[in-house]
Amino acid sequence: MCGICGFTWRDENLIRSMAETLTHRGPDQDGFYCSEQISLGHRRLSIIDLSENGRQPMFNEDGSVVVVFNGEIYNFAELRQELEQKGHVFSSRSDTEVIIHGYEEWGLESIDRLRGMFGYALYDLKRKRLLLVRDRIGIKPIYYHHQNGRLRFASEIKAILEDPQVERKVNYQALYDYLGFEFVPAPQTMFANIHKLPAGHYLLLENDQLRVEQYWDLSLKQDESITSFAEAVEKMREHLDHAVKSHLVSDVPLGVFLSGGLDSSCIVALMRRHISGSLKTFTIGYEDKSFSELDYAAIVASHCHTDHKVLMLDTLKADYVEQTLYHLDEPMTDLSTVPLYLLCKQAREHVTVCLSGEGADESFAGYDRFKASRLNRWFGIMPKPIRKDVIGRLVHLLPDQPQKKGAINMLKRFVEGSNLDSGGEHLRWQYFLSRGLEESLFDSSFKTQIDRDPFRQVRQYSDRCDAGDDALNREIYLDMRFMMTDSVLMKVDRMSMASSLEIRVPLLDHVLVEYMASLPGDWKLKKLTTKYIFRAALEGLLPEKVIYRGKQGYSLPVKHLLRGDLHDYMVELLNDSALVRENMDHNYITTLIDEHCSMKQNHNHILWALINVAIWHNRFFR
């Protein structure tokens, strides 16, 4: 795992400065290459082939192709054998080298042969061609800025900002989208003119022409050759085992995050099949049981005989929030971001690589929003005036309850989501700006600068999905292609790299993901049982009390902290923020704070989002 950066002219001082901002991603080595056409920088976290032979930038035999690479190629041994049979000579044991020789042999088609997580920049000196590639799922990031004929790119935005020619300017459309979805959807970032390379895409710069092309998308067409549920379960077990086993290749110590949930428990159990010695597991917990899964993590740790370590988090320091915002580069309001940051710091004291269970909730249909969408088929039968004006207003009057979920809290969220525009599909239950809220929050000048159709991008993604009449599979596509990459996976990349820790996500192995996508939606969500086929595949591997428990998650109890330890910090931040003052109604924000702290309503999502905006703007624009 590493950090990469570069641009399309020679400047040795700038490339070193850019790479320096990525030291946390790669503390073991640095490397540079500069010519009149390209400058490349690399920071290395050594995982496979720890010798000098693995140093980057890495060249082919005649020096005509050079690459800087961030990620892991899990099928590199098979690719290397094939390439050696074709006459290619390797000088290292690193997986990086298969990218170079693969490009020499197969050109752009080499991208399709890679199985793993990757973001890399390859420069072909003979053709004067620059190629930036992001993996299919979007596990590893690449950002770029192209203006006045010059291209800059990096694993993190902060490296691009090292160039004084890059203007720091707020992207107001991204700010609006972020406050609703709590992340900035690709290809936008919160910085105007700095873009994300979308998942499954490559960028090609050749003959002064830049184009961004999609090389992979997730197909949800049903595989009609799979004729029975039992057959599908057995094949899923094979895919799960292969994915986890392939993610264990490493020349450094590795462990696993164990939350106590189904996904991480599955990975621990499958790792134990292939690791006979010590297996380190890490988890985080809170005193409030409704936010904690410690008991279930302990059950799995005992069942799999792991060396289990627990980090208890009872409060939240403002400094932690500010550190995470620095590493994120732009606001992203996942409530588990800070806990993950602290967990990564703890794990890095013991290991260099951790496996984690991200992606299963999206691919296997594990979120409550999938259930909410299904329930809404019946709720939606009611006339809209009754749903919105009667039930909606009555439910709004119910006070917030202290627990994380609970019947009242879940009812309030369900009704709020169901009354949003149906164009948002199941993502309505993950959207936190109602029309009334935004009317009161934003000032008139801000509203004129943006497109206020919140689900315009959701519709675009939905239109290109090939799931047909299978509503659940269409929703899975939206989670996988629209939401997951720039929220969950961005969080995992940044919080792990902040501690020089590599996180691998075997449940997002693209072959496993494609297999799951080919199965009927009703095998994933059966009535209101989430991850139905996944649970069936784990029978006999884990205790039943783990397999058939409900989803909880390990998000931070932010709503309580804003009423307590973080109250004064919140008020000061939102009062002093220039970005908030210039674009939003301060009196209305005060009303939101008062309603939240008196427990009349739970406004933690919008308040936490605004806090992150204020911290981000203070950090990057002062």
Side-chain angles (χ1 to χ4, degrees):
M1 198 64 61
C2 306
I4 67 172
C5 57
F7 44 83
T8 53
W9 66 95
R10 179 193 289 273
D11 189 330
E12 295 186 17
N13 291 331
L14 177 58
I15 196 64
R16 289 180 178 275
S17 178
M18 289 175 68
E20 182 68 23
T21 68
L22 303 175
T23 300
H24 51 280
R25 298 186 70 94
D28 297 329
Q29 287 179 344
D30 64 9
F32 306 94
Y33 169 74
C34 290
S35 71
E36 294 306 313
Q37 291 79 33
I38 195 76
S39 294
L40 298 173
H42 188 261
R43 293 292 321 195
R44 186 183 184 203
L45 178 63
S46 302
I47 303 294
I48 298 173
D49 189 350
L50 309 185
S51 73
E52 279 292 312
N53 292 334
R55 183 183 287 273
Q56 299 182 41
M58 188 176 288
F59 290 82
N60 62 343
E61 299 98 322
D62 65 4
S64 63
V65 178
V66 57
V67 72
V68 285
F69 165 58
N70 169 35
E72 300 290 347
I73 307 301
Y74 300 119
N75 65 335
F76 79 95
E78 299 95 312
L79 290 174
R80 175 175 178 145
Q81 183 178 21
E82 183 178 356
L83 288 163
E84 285 178 331
Q85 290 173 353
K86 292 179 178 291
H88 293 268
V89 178
F90 285 72
S91 60
S92 75
R93 294 187 299 106
S94 169
D95 56 339
T96 305
E97 205 167 355
V98 301
I99 296 174
I100 303 171
H101 294 297
Y103 172 80
E104 287 183 292
E105 184 67 33
W106 302 302
L108 295 180
E109 292 180 3
S110 63
I111 303 169
D112 296 324
R113 292 175 174 259
L114 302 178
R115 186 170 181 175
M117 55 181 184
F118 47 86
Y120 65 86
L122 181 148
Y123 190 72
D124 184 328
L125 278 73
K126 291 180 179 178
R127 301 183 64 169
K128 296 183 180 179
R129 166 195 275 183
L130 175 63
L131 177 66
L132 306 181
V133 184
R134 190 176 185 188
D135 66 73
R136 298 167 180 83
I137 308 295
I139 303 166
K140 294 288 101 185
I142 294 183
Y143 299 88
Y144 67 95
H145 178 278
H146 185 235
Q147 204 166 41
N148 300 326
R150 290 188 161 193
L151 177 70
R152 308 148 179 90
F153 64 88
S155 297
E156 297 182 11
I157 295 172
K158 62 176 65 66
I160 293 174
L161 295 175
E162 283 296 294
D163 184 350
Q165 298 302 311
V166 175
E167 182 183 10
R168 301 191 185 201
K169 186 177 179 182
V170 175
N171 180 345
Y172 290 103
Q173 184 65 57
L175 174 58
Y176 172 77
D177 294 335
Y178 154 76
L179 289 173
F181 287 109
E182 302 191 325
F183 70 94
V184 179
Q188 297 186 93
T189 74
M190 198 71 89
F191 295 89
N193 300 318
I194 297 179
H195 306 285
K196 302 178 177 99
L197 183 63
H201 284 65
Y202 65 79
L203 180 153
L204 193 66
L205 181 62
E206 189 173 18
N207 299 323
D208 295 323
Q209 297 297 311
L210 183 149
R211 74 175 196 266
V212 175
E213 299 283 350
Q214 183 171 7
Y215 68 87
W216 181 87
D217 201 2
L218 181 62
S219 173
L220 277 294
K221 287 183 178 178
Q222 188 171 330
D223 183 353
E224 296 182 359
S225 69
I226 300 174
T227 58
S228 72
F229 183 78
E231 177 191 357
V233 168
E234 190 56 39
K235 286 191 176 182
M236 184 176 183
R237 287 178 178 142
E238 295 173 4
H239 281 297
L240 285 167
D241 189 68
H242 183 276
V244 171
K245 183 180 180 181
S246 70
H247 281 59
L248 299 180
V249 59
S250 175
D251 293 337
V252 295
L254 55 80
V256 57
F257 288 158
L258 174 58
S259 69
L262 187 63
D263 314 331
S264 61
S265 299
C266 161
I267 293 173
V268 172
L270 290 173
M271 287 178 72
R272 179 46 81 197
R273 281 186 175 179
H274 304 290
I275 296 176
S276 58
S278 175
L279 176 56
K280 296 185 183 298
T281 52
F282 305 90
T283 193
I284 198 163
Y286 312 99
E287 292 298 332
D288 185 337
K289 294 289 186 181
S290 71
F291 285 83
S292 188
E293 299 182 284
L294 289 178
D295 293 344
Y296 288 99
I299 291 170
V300 176
S302 176
H303 179 77
C304 297
H305 308 290
T306 74
D307 178 6
H308 191 51
K309 301 185 183 300
V310 177
L311 173 65
M312 293 299 297
L313 184 62
D314 296 324
T315 189
L316 176 64
K317 296 179 181 178
D319 184 51
Y320 293 156
V321 183
E322 297 184 7
Q323 287 176 43
T324 62
L325 256 296
Y326 169 74
H327 287 289
L328 287 169
D329 286 338
E330 60 179 354
M332 196 280 295
T333 320
D334 189 315
L335 300 184
S336 64
T337 301
V338 175
L340 179 60
Y341 172 67
L342 298 175
L343 188 61
C344 288
K345 291 177 74 69
Q346 182 200 48
R348 187 61 177 89
E349 296 174 4
H350 305 276
V351 297
T352 310
V353 177
C354 263
L355 273 65
S356 189
E358 275 72 24
D361 285 318
E362 290 82 2
S363 185
F364 306 159
Y367 288 122
D368 287 340
R369 55 180 172 264
F370 293 109
K371 294 193 291 185
S373 179
R374 183 157 290 186
L375 287 169
N376 195 57
R377 297 177 193 176
W378 289 276
F379 186 64
I381 295 173
M382 294 183 188
K384 185 175 180 180
I386 294 177
R387 284 187 288 113
K388 194 165 187 177
D389 299 332
V390 179
I391 297 177
R393 289 181 180 179
L394 288 173
V395 168
H396 181 74
L397 295 174
L398 294 172
D400 181 50
Q401 303 300 301
Q403 65 266 43
K404 179 179 179 179
K405 291 186 177 180
I408 291 178
N409 292 342
M410 294 183 72
L411 175 64
K412 286 171 67 71
R413 184 68 201 125
F414 171 73
V415 173
E416 288 169 358
S418 68
N419 284 326
L420 292 174
D421 182 353
S422 61
E425 302 202 27
H426 78 305
L427 297 182
R428 287 178 284 168
W429 288 276
Q430 196 59 37
Y431 188 81
F432 296 98
L433 267 186
S434 66
R435 181 62 71 177
L437 176 58
E438 66 179 66
E439 284 290 348
S440 300
L441 179 62
F442 302 128
D443 70 18
S444 57
S445 62
F446 181 85
K447 294 172 188 175
T448 63
Q449 300 181 61
I450 58 173
D451 183 339
R452 293 176 63 196
D453 176 3
F455 300 129
R456 65 196 186 281
Q457 292 167 285
V458 175
R459 292 185 184 91
Q460 292 170 5
Y461 277 84
S462 182
D463 288 345
R464 73 188 197 199
C465 175
D466 63 0
D469 295 331
D470 194 321
L472 190 280
N473 274 339
R474 182 176 301 278
E475 292 168 353
I476 285 175
Y477 179 87
L478 290 173
D479 256 66
M480 296 289 293
R481 305 307 288 159
F482 173 70
M483 177 162 281
M484 179 182 67
T485 301
D486 299 315
S487 57
V488 172
L489 295 183
M490 197 263 271
K491 170 195 69 177
V492 169
D493 175 79
R494 294 304 195 285
M495 295 305 97
S496 59
M497 287 288 89
S499 301
S500 305
L501 177 75
E502 173 173 298
I503 288 185
R504 298 176 179 177
V505 284
L507 300 183
L508 285 174
D509 171 75
H510 84 269
V511 177
L512 171 61
V513 167
E514 288 175 338
Y515 173 72
M516 282 301 301
S518 73
L519 302 179
D522 285 343
W523 288 2
K524 303 163 194 176
L525 179 65
K526 188 175 181 65
K527 296 182 179 178
L528 293 180
T529 300
T530 58
K531 298 181 179 175
Y532 185 74
I533 190 172
F534 186 41
R535 296 178 197 272
L538 297 181
E539 289 184 353
L541 186 67
L542 290 167
E544 286 198 3
K545 65 175 66 176
V546 174
I547 294 174
Y548 291 104
R549 59 168 300 216
K551 180 173 177 57
Q552 188 168 349
Y554 67 99
S555 64
L556 195 70
V558 166
K559 68 177 183 178
H560 300 328
L561 293 169
L562 296 182
R563 292 163 178 155
D565 292 353
L566 293 181
H567 174 270
D568 293 346
Y569 177 67
M570 167 180 61
V571 172
E572 182 179 357
L573 268 175
L574 299 185
N575 282 343
D576 294 345
S577 169
L579 183 60
V580 172
R581 281 199 320 268
E582 291 167 7
N583 297 283
M584 299 170 203
D585 187 320
H586 179 264
N587 291 330
Y588 183 65
I589 293 174
T590 300
T591 298
L592 294 175
I593 293 172
D594 292 343
E595 288 182 353
H596 182 80
C597 292
S598 64
M599 293 188 65
K600 291 180 180 178
Q601 298 294 332
N602 177 14
H603 293 307
N604 74 297
H605 283 280
I606 187 61
L607 293 175
W608 187 243
L610 291 172
I611 287 170
N612 280 264
V613 164
I615 295 170
W616 167 78
H617 194 256
N618 289 345
R619 176 63 181 79
F620 287 96
F621 285 82
R622 282 187 175 178

